[in-house]
Amino acid sequence: MAKIPGKPVRGSSSGRPIMVLFDVLGKRWTLRILWELHKGKAASFRDLQSKCDDVSPTLLNSRLKDLRALNLVVLDDEGYTLTREGVSLSRKLAPLDAWANEWAKSLDA
Amino acid sequence: MAKIPGKPVRGSSSGRPIMVLFDVLGKRWTLRILWELHKGKAASFRDLQSKCDDVSPTLLNSRLKDLRALNLVVLDDEGYTLTREGVSLSRKLAPLDAWANEWAKSLDA
DNA sequence: CTCCTTTGCTACACTATATGTAGCATATTT
DNA sequence: AAATATGCTACATATAGTGTAGCAAAGGAG
């Protein structure tokens, strides 16, 4: 069941876009799927599955449905790819990689 | 059970910092808690609960434990606050609000 | 001191979500 | 025709999240 901005979502009756986004990103594998698609261009269903540590097909399909409904991912001849919106979102997420590395260092110290 | 970068986490044996981050952000309420703390400075447990649509105390405590173990949140005299690392992470997340608004517009069109 | 309120938080029964394996139906390759 | 690869569903099991009640400790008021 996909959520569309403007409609209420889990834990927020407002339907504010940021809450809709948090709702979907707060589900397991969503961030990872976006991450893998961002790195590697188009991927088949099974490709994606193996990139995502062999996530179960049930859940992968469920997440892809969500992401397609939210216009972040599409399935075309090449396989699954990010839409324009999906690319722009993943660009916002990209800096988290460098951030996480610095963070990990600070945890060691 | 908190996860520390360098150790394997759900769905990733590598323990890469970004995967540890995705693991915790991919749990329900984590993004929301960071968001609310980012907006509103220190908050008591019960304050946070009401800001987060009355999330159950069980889960709120569980997430706060995770976030404290990962050095993103602390509890002091004032209540719960973001650490320096927590602030720097939430700054990376802040642009998502504007992004989500644009995204919502594009979905309407 | 006693009573009342607020704090962070736990217990527990219930529901929803995620996992893992098997395998189907269609399309393409050999 | 047989083999392979595709996206995906079924289903039983395990894990994660929810909601209500309430406890123990700390502080304030009388």
Side-chain angles (χ1 to χ4, degrees):
Chain A
M1 187 67 64
K3 305 303 180 345
I4 300 288
K7 297 188 178 176
V9 288
R10 296 188 308 175
S12 172
S13 52
S14 66
R16 283 185 52 210
I18 187 70
M19 293 303 161
V20 178
L21 183 63
F22 284 172
D23 185 43
V24 66
L25 295 185
K27 289 176 175 171
R28 228 196 134 175
W29 296 112
T30 306
L31 281 162
R32 178 69 173 274
I33 291 168
L34 291 173
W35 189 254
E36 297 300 336
L37 286 176
H38 177 65
K39 287 194 310 186
K41 302 286 174 184
S44 72
F45 188 93
R46 283 170 148 92
D47 280 348
L48 254 184
Q49 216 188 331
S50 66
K51 279 172 203 264
C52 295
D53 291 272
D54 292 314
V55 55
S56 77
T58 315
L59 202 53
L60 178 57
N61 185 240
S62 170
R63 289 298 173 273
L64 287 171
K65 263 187 196 163
D66 290 348
L67 291 170
R68 281 193 277 179
L70 294 173
N71 194 34
L72 295 172
V73 164
V74 279
L75 172 60
D76 61 21
D77 299 348
E78 309 287 306
Y80 285 98
T81 40
L82 295 175
T83 61
R84 206 148 71 101
E85 297 294 324
V87 170
S88 94
L89 174 58
S90 69
R91 279 188 186 136
K92 300 281 178 194
L93 299 176
L96 291 179
D97 192 25
W99 180 90
N101 287 330
E102 290 302 310
W103 167 61
K105 277 193 226 167
S106 82
L107 282 176
D108 282 343
Chain B
M1 187 66 66
K3 304 305 181 348
I4 299 290
K7 294 188 179 176
V9 286
R10 295 188 309 176
S12 173
S13 53
S14 66
R16 282 185 53 211
I18 187 71
M19 293 303 160
V20 178
L21 183 62
F22 284 173
D23 185 44
V24 66
L25 295 186
K27 289 175 175 172
R28 225 194 138 178
W29 295 111
T30 305
L31 282 162
R32 178 70 174 272
I33 291 168
L34 291 173
W35 188 255
E36 297 300 336
L37 285 177
H38 177 64
K39 287 194 308 185
K41 302 287 177 183
S44 72
F45 188 94
R46 283 168 147 93
D47 280 348
L48 254 184
Q49 217 188 332
S50 66
K51 279 172 202 264
C52 294
D53 290 273
D54 292 315
V55 54
S56 76
T58 315
L59 202 53
L60 178 57
N61 185 240
S62 170
R63 289 299 174 271
L64 288 171
K65 262 187 196 163
D66 290 349
L67 291 170
R68 281 194 277 181
L70 295 172
N71 194 34
L72 295 172
V73 164
V74 278
L75 172 59
D76 61 20
D77 298 348
E78 310 288 305
Y80 284 98
T81 39
L82 294 175
T83 61
R84 206 147 71 100
E85 297 295 323
V87 170
S88 96
L89 174 58
S90 69
R91 280 190 185 135
K92 301 280 178 195
L93 299 176
L96 291 178
D97 192 25
W99 179 89
N101 287 329
E102 289 304 308
W103 167 61
K105 277 192 225 165
S106 82
L107 282 176
D108 282 342

